[in-house]
């Protein structure tokens, strides 16, 4: 339904009541109202999908950049002592939720470029599953908070590298090692 809820939730909140009596009211006006509502729903799903895809692309890029191994993925055994930021249960869903969109050729016959922009992808499923985060309101909230957490981890690591660099520079200075040998 429109507000990111399931059909059952839409039924409970009364969103579907207008369409419950299809047998007695099939006037052209009612049919046109139904068509416009269907277009509104499709636009809502499309914009929600675009927002989730954009967040998923950003989240996946951060997970790859930070070299976080999602729980249950290969290589997890090799990452003993890995920081807790890499143990987010939805990371597996995040990494499996996108699929590439095959683009047709442009008017000049050349294939379109397939960069890593969000318009090259779509979600594997609109609904949450064991392998996909879906496009529900919870998905938007979870992805937004995960990106904030990953950006915080990225800043923390950058600061740590700066501190370590300063400590190393200080040690080189104390040892009187020429900069050409550093």
């Amino acid at each position: 339904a429109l507000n990111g809820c399931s059909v059952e939730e839409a039924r409970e909140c009364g969103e579907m009541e207008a369409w419950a009596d299809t047998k007695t009211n099939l006037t052209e006006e009612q049919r046109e109202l139904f068509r416009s509502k269907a277009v509104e729903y499709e636009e809502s799903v499309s914009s929600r999908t675009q927002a989730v895809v954009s967040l998923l692309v950003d989240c996946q890029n951060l997970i790859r950049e930070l070299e976080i191994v999602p729980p249950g993925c290969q290589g997890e055994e090799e990452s003993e002592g890995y920081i807790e930021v890499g143990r987010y249960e939805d990371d597996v869903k995040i990494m499996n939720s996108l699929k590439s969109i095959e683009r047709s050729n442009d008017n000049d016959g050349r294939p379109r470029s397939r960069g890593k922009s969000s318009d090259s992808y779509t979600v594997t499923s609109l609904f949450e599953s064991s392998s996909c985060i879906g496009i529900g309101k919870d998905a938007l909230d979870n992805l937004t908070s995960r990106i904030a957490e990953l950006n915080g981890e990225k800043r923390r690591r950058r600061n740590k590298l700066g501190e370590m660099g300063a400590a190393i520079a200080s040690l080189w200075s104390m040892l009187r090692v020429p900069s050409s040998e550093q």
Side-chain angles (χ1 to χ4, degrees), residues 1-3 5-17 41:
L2 181 61
N3 296 321
C5 57
S6 68
V7 174
E8 292 80 21
E9 291 170 324
R11 231 180 255 130
E12 289 172 11
C13 73
E15 191 174 334
M16 304 292 279
E17 258 180 48
Y41 286 155

Side-chain angles (χ1 to χ4, degrees), residues 2-162:
L2 181 61
N3 296 321
C5 57
S6 68
V7 174
E8 292 80 21
E9 291 170 324
R11 231 180 255 130
E12 289 172 11
C13 73
E15 191 174 334
M16 304 292 279
E17 258 180 48
W19 313 112
D21 186 19
T22 58
K23 293 179 182 175
T24 59
N25 190 1
L26 287 177
T27 62
E28 188 60 36
E29 179 183 330
Q30 185 71 0
R31 291 170 58 200
E32 187 55 39
L33 182 61
F34 180 79
R35 281 188 211 103
S36 69
K37 205 61 159 166
V39 168
E40 185 181 332
Y41 286 155
E42 287 174 7
E43 289 171 352
S44 177
V45 167
S46 177
S47 66
R48 175 80 58 94
T49 302
Q50 288 173 348
V52 168
V53 166
S54 178
L55 290 170
L56 280 167
V57 167
D58 292 346
C59 208
Q60 285 185 0
N61 288 337
L62 284 167
I63 288 170
R64 286 186 189 104
E65 182 180 348
L66 295 171
E67 296 181 353
I68 293 174
V69 180
C73 289
Q74 282 187 327
E76 187 178 353
E77 314 80 44
E78 300 166 9
S79 59
E80 284 183 29
Y82 217 77
I83 52 173
E84 191 61 34
V85 76
R87 298 295 180 233
Y88 186 71
E89 292 301 320
D90 279 348
D91 282 353
V92 174
K93 288 182 184 181
I94 289 168
M95 297 308 287
N96 292 316
S97 290
L98 291 178
K99 64 181 176 183
S100 295
I101 298 174
E102 293 297 323
R103 298 281 186 188
S104 61
N105 291 345
D106 283 335
N107 293 338
D108 61 3
R110 293 181 301 168
R112 289 186 185 179
S113 65
R114 295 194 50 202
K116 292 196 175 196
S117 67
S118 60
D119 62 347
S120 300
Y121 297 99
T122 190
V123 290
T124 56
S125 172
L126 298 178
F127 303 101
E128 185 175 2
S129 68
S130 61
S131 63
C132 181
I133 202 145
I135 66 165
K137 185 178 180 330
D138 289 343
L140 287 171
D141 295 342
N142 291 343
L143 287 169
T144 302
S145 65
R146 184 63 175 148
I147 287 174
E149 181 182 2
L150 291 170
N151 279 324
E153 177 62 17
K154 185 176 177 180
R155 280 189 300 278
R156 188 192 71 74
R157 289 183 185 187
R158 188 172 287 143
N159 291 339
K160 183 78 170 170
L161 283 174

